Amino acid sequence: MGTAYHAILEAEATMVMTGETYDREEVALRAFQAELADAPSGFIWRDDETGNLETALEITLAGAENYIDEHFEWADTTKYQILAVEQAFTFPWINGWDAHGTADLIVMGLEDGWIRIADHKFSRLKWRKGRENARQTPQPSWYLKWIKHHWQTNSDDPHRMERQFLFKMDVSTWGTGLDF
């Protein structure tokens, strides 16, 4: 469900950025089909709540629609410019390991010039208070470090060293009704 949710939000951001239109249900269905094709043999649906593709698709579409209609502030092109959708980064790190990740969405505030890295989550359970804090998850600091490095290394923006970066986690939950 998370993969299909992400696919819809990726298509929505791409539409804002390029004008390319899409069909939400078709995008979600393709994502589900790809995930199911890669599922291990003997895959079964986890529980009765999402016990089949039709129900999972319905929940996913409702969650994406809620986010896009109520919380997709990035679509306001008078306030934000979408710079990248699903921006991957890979850099040599330590002991032969690579630092790797993919930012769901990178936007710039037109009024303040801040770069915002948005990460979309679609969870069954409501997140406990404080789960987004640095002591609870390394993702915000990891992405801030490496996306900033990626930006500074690959951007033609002459002010790239002056940019301030923010990490925003957009968490939508569905298990007890849609919530953001």
Side-chain angles (χ1 to χ4, degrees):
M1 289 171 61
T3 300
Y5 178 82
H6 270 82
I8 295 168
L9 298 187
E10 177 183 350
E12 183 73 19
T14 300
M15 183 183 75
V16 171
M17 195 166 65
T18 68
E20 181 181 322
T21 61
Y22 73 102
D23 179 273
R24 285 182 191 168
E25 187 169 342
E26 182 181 316
V27 166
L29 194 53
R30 276 197 317 260
F32 271 115
Q33 290 168 338
E35 286 293 309
L36 291 170
D38 287 343
S41 63
F43 166 81
I44 57 170
W45 290 94
R46 183 170 56 179
D47 56 37
D48 292 336
E49 198 167 356
T50 57
N52 59 56
L53 178 60
E54 184 178 306
T55 303
L57 181 61
E58 183 180 308
I59 292 168
T60 302
L61 288 169
E65 183 175 310
N66 177 265
Y67 178 80
I68 291 166
D69 292 348
E70 302 295 326
H71 306 286
F72 195 65
E73 61 193 288
W74 323 118
D76 185 346
T77 57
T78 65
K79 293 183 179 179
Y80 299 100
Q81 176 187 358
I82 296 177
L83 301 176
V85 179
E86 296 296 316
Q87 177 66 63
F89 62 85
T90 303
F91 291 102
W93 190 35
I94 56 173
N95 298 328
W97 290 80
D98 286 337
H100 179 75
T102 303
D104 294 339
L105 183 64
I106 302 176
V107 301
M108 181 174 61
L110 297 176
E111 294 174 6
D112 59 17
W114 283 57
I115 305 295
R116 289 146 172 92
I117 303 164
D119 186 65
H120 310 304
K121 306 285 189 201
F122 192 55
S123 175
R124 179 178 181 187
L125 302 175
K126 189 171 176 96
W127 277 32
R128 72 181 183 288
K129 186 177 173 102
R131 182 171 175 194
E132 73 287 352
N133 292 334
R135 290 182 179 259
Q136 298 296 314
T137 179
Q139 188 181 20
S141 56
W142 181 260
Y143 275 52
L144 284 170
K145 175 182 175 52
W146 293 108
I147 290 293
K148 186 172 185 175
H149 181 69
H150 175 80
W151 181 268
Q152 292 169 342
T153 304
N154 296 299
S155 174
D156 293 330
D157 181 349
H159 304 291
R160 66 182 179 256
M161 300 303 276
E162 301 166 14
R163 300 286 185 206
Q164 296 292 324
F165 287 73
L166 292 171
F167 185 87
K168 182 172 189 288
M169 206 173 287
D170 293 336
V171 182
S172 294
T173 57
W174 58 269
T176 56
L178 292 176
D179 190 28
F180 179 77

